[in-house]
Amino acid sequence: MISFLSLKDVTALHGAEINEAVSRVVNGGWYLQGKENEKFETNYAQFIGCKYCIGCANGLDALIWIFRAYIEMGVMQPGDEVIVPANTYIATILAITENGLKPILIEPKVNTLEIDDNLIEAAITPKTKAITIVHLYGRDAYTEKIGSLCRKYNLKLIEDNAQAHGCKHTDGRITGSIGDAAGHSFYPGKNLGALGDGGAVTTNDYDLATTVRALANYGSQKKYVFKYTGRNSRLDEIQAAVLDVKLKYLVDDNAHRKMVANYYYNHINNNLITLPDRLNDDLNVYHLFPILVSEGKRDALHDYLEQNGVGTMIHYPIAPHKQECYKEWNSMRLPITEQIANEELSLPIGPSINEEEINYIINLINGFK
């Protein structure tokens, strides 16, 4: 069986160092807000190219704290609008509504699967305060047009970088350093994954950074003194130590993903399957390798591959605007987002998959009718 992603195999790639790091923390007796966090935050900020990195409990919290901090700073207030791609994992939108802000859903381009920057300006109103871009599937979603719109209308640019650790823009900046702030997820299956939940905020804004850190620590900047009504959302020392080990290998692990992706691009040949536009390797770290399967054949291909020993996943079968939790949007018509939800299938990709397995998958796909 070729699993969609074997976390056991991924961890084993750097197992000795990970075990040493975990043992060091366990034997050291300091498990929260210690030297491991400080070290990882410093190293990750340097890797991303930002002044500040604040570890937190998970990627959703990272985005929640960004919006909450802007509200505490008076930059936003409940009821303000945030432009966001309609084609995204629901966490991006949950972070907006959690703060009483209003998401304005924008369709993606079907050939890139990322937000259509040609549709953004028409959606901007006096209540618009930010544009959130999502580097979905590991693809760079930033465009110069989006940056220009943020400057023209004085909007904050927030990046959801949960799936794109190490991805670059054409000017060499790494995603997570392009906007005013970025949320990162270290869920185990991510390109930079912990052994449990974890997240971080990166920014060059000192005021934002200090506010986020306080909000994620019960609202406290000084022990037993609470400036905000915050929550407990911290990255623990074990996860920080593991992430610091894996950060050293992120570029190489991403290079393996790119090799696998290029092999898929060069050899998949089936009229039922459409591949997203191929980007320069720097602009995609291939957290996922999504394909679109036409003629209602997506589920059949999924089952066919499963029956032949290949695990795949669907990202994501129900679009956010069709979810029960946002039932006020259920009648909304977003045809491209809905097409992607109906046709998308993600193929195995990761730092542990080998060439023999890739060839087996491709031969199955090319033989599917």
Side-chain angles (χ1 to χ4, degrees), residues 64-74 99 208 211-212 215:
I64 288 173
W65 301 138
I66 291 170
F67 290 113
R68 172 72 184 281
Y70 279 132
I71 290 172
E72 295 290 352
M73 294 163 64
N99 283 287
L208 181 71
T211 306
V212 165
L215 287 167

Side-chain angles (χ1 to χ4, degrees), residues 161-363:
N161 200 50
Q163 299 187 4
H165 311 106
C167 183
K168 292 182 179 179
H169 184 56
T170 51
D171 60 10
R173 287 181 295 171
I174 293 179
T175 56
S177 70
I178 297 170
D180 295 284
H184 307 254
S185 168
F186 305 125
Y187 182 79
K190 296 300 199 300
N191 292 40
L192 181 61
L195 299 185
D197 274 323
V201 172
T202 54
T203 184
N204 287 316
D205 184 332
Y206 172 80
D207 291 337
L208 181 71
T210 54
T211 306
V212 165
R213 191 176 294 281
L215 287 167
N217 185 37
Y218 299 98
S220 174
Q221 293 174 322
K222 181 181 179 181
K223 194 168 185 178
Y224 300 132
V225 178
F226 302 93
K227 185 175 181 179
Y228 312 106
T229 54
R231 294 184 188 172
N232 176 14
S233 176
R234 298 176 299 206
L235 183 66
D236 71 64
E237 289 285 278
I238 288 177
Q239 303 307 338
V242 169
L243 289 166
D244 204 55
V245 169
K246 296 181 78 173
L247 180 60
K248 295 187 297 184
Y249 301 100
L250 178 58
V251 172
D252 289 341
D253 289 347
N254 283 345
H256 186 87
R257 290 175 178 270
K258 294 173 185 180
M259 180 275 291
V260 176
N262 283 322
Y263 211 82
Y264 281 146
Y265 269 112
N266 290 336
H267 294 91
I268 289 177
N269 183 19
N270 187 315
N271 290 335
L272 292 172
I273 292 171
T274 301
L275 305 182
D277 283 359
R278 192 172 187 173
L279 301 177
N280 178 292
D281 267 356
D282 280 345
L283 309 181
N284 196 343
V285 293
Y286 296 102
H287 170 59
L288 300 171
F289 192 90
I291 63 175
L292 299 182
V293 188
S294 63
E295 298 180 21
K297 300 289 187 181
R298 189 265 309 278
D299 293 346
L301 177 57
H302 170 275
D303 294 345
Y304 163 77
L305 291 172
E306 190 81 25
Q307 291 160 8
N308 284 278
V310 176
T312 61
M313 289 189 69
I314 298 168
H315 297 91
Y316 302 94
I318 306 174
H321 71 287
K322 294 297 184 181
Q323 297 286 352
E324 186 177 355
C325 64
Y326 291 122
K327 54 182 176 291
E328 66 273 20
W329 297 342
N330 287 174
S331 62
M332 189 182 295
R333 183 84 175 97
L334 296 170
I336 298 176
T337 298
E338 291 160 24
Q339 177 189 347
I340 293 169
N342 291 331
E343 296 185 357
E344 194 278 343
L345 186 69
S346 296
L347 303 181
I349 193 168
S352 62
I353 192 170
N354 61 49
E355 188 173 337
E356 181 181 353
E357 292 170 328
I358 302 165
N359 277 312
Y360 178 72
I361 294 166
I362 290 170
N363 287 334

Side-chain angles (χ1 to χ4, degrees), residues 35-227:
K35 292 181 179 178
E36 300 293 347
N37 255 273
E38 184 178 334
K39 181 183 175 186
F40 173 68
E41 288 179 350
T42 298
N43 289 339
Y44 193 59
Q46 183 177 13
F47 176 82
I48 293 292
C50 278
K51 292 180 181 178
Y52 309 107
C53 171
I54 306 96
C56 60
N58 53 67
L60 172 57
D61 277 6
L63 292 170
I64 288 173
W65 301 138
I66 291 170
F67 290 113
R68 172 72 184 281
Y70 279 132
I71 290 172
E72 295 290 352
M73 294 163 64
V75 175
M76 300 179 192
Q77 62 182 1
D80 284 341
E81 296 173 352
V82 178
I83 287 172
V84 64
N87 178 45
T88 184
Y89 184 56
I90 200 167
T92 318
I93 297 169
L94 289 173
I96 298 169
T97 58
E98 171 79 9
N99 283 287
L101 301 166
K102 182 180 179 181
I104 303 299
L105 306 182
I106 302 296
E107 284 266 64
K109 295 179 180 178
V110 73
N111 59 315
T112 68
L113 311 181
E114 305 290 351
I115 192 168
D116 187 342
D117 58 4
N118 294 315
L119 303 178
I120 293 175
E121 188 164 20
I124 295 173
T125 75
K127 294 183 72 67
T128 306
K129 292 296 187 291
I131 297 173
T132 297
I133 57 173
V134 184
H135 304 295
L136 201 63
Y137 315 112
R139 299 168 65 93
D140 174 28
Y142 178 74
T143 67
E144 300 309 319
K145 176 178 266 188
I146 292 173
S148 177
L149 289 172
C150 287
R151 292 187 293 272
K152 179 178 178 181
Y153 293 98
N154 192 28
L155 305 177
K156 294 297 183 183
L157 177 61
I158 297 164
E159 298 174 77
D160 182 338
N161 200 50
Q163 299 187 4
H165 311 106
C167 183
K168 292 182 179 179
H169 184 56
T170 51
D171 60 10
R173 287 181 295 171
I174 293 179
T175 56
S177 70
I178 297 170
D180 295 284
H184 307 254
S185 168
F186 305 125
Y187 182 79
K190 296 300 199 300
N191 292 40
L192 181 61
L195 299 185
D197 274 323
V201 172
T202 54
T203 184
N204 287 316
D205 184 332
Y206 172 80
D207 291 337
L208 181 71
T210 54
T211 306
V212 165
R213 191 176 294 281
L215 287 167
N217 185 37
Y218 299 98
S220 174
Q221 293 174 322
K222 181 181 179 181
K223 194 168 185 178
Y224 300 132
V225 178
F226 302 93
K227 185 175 181 179

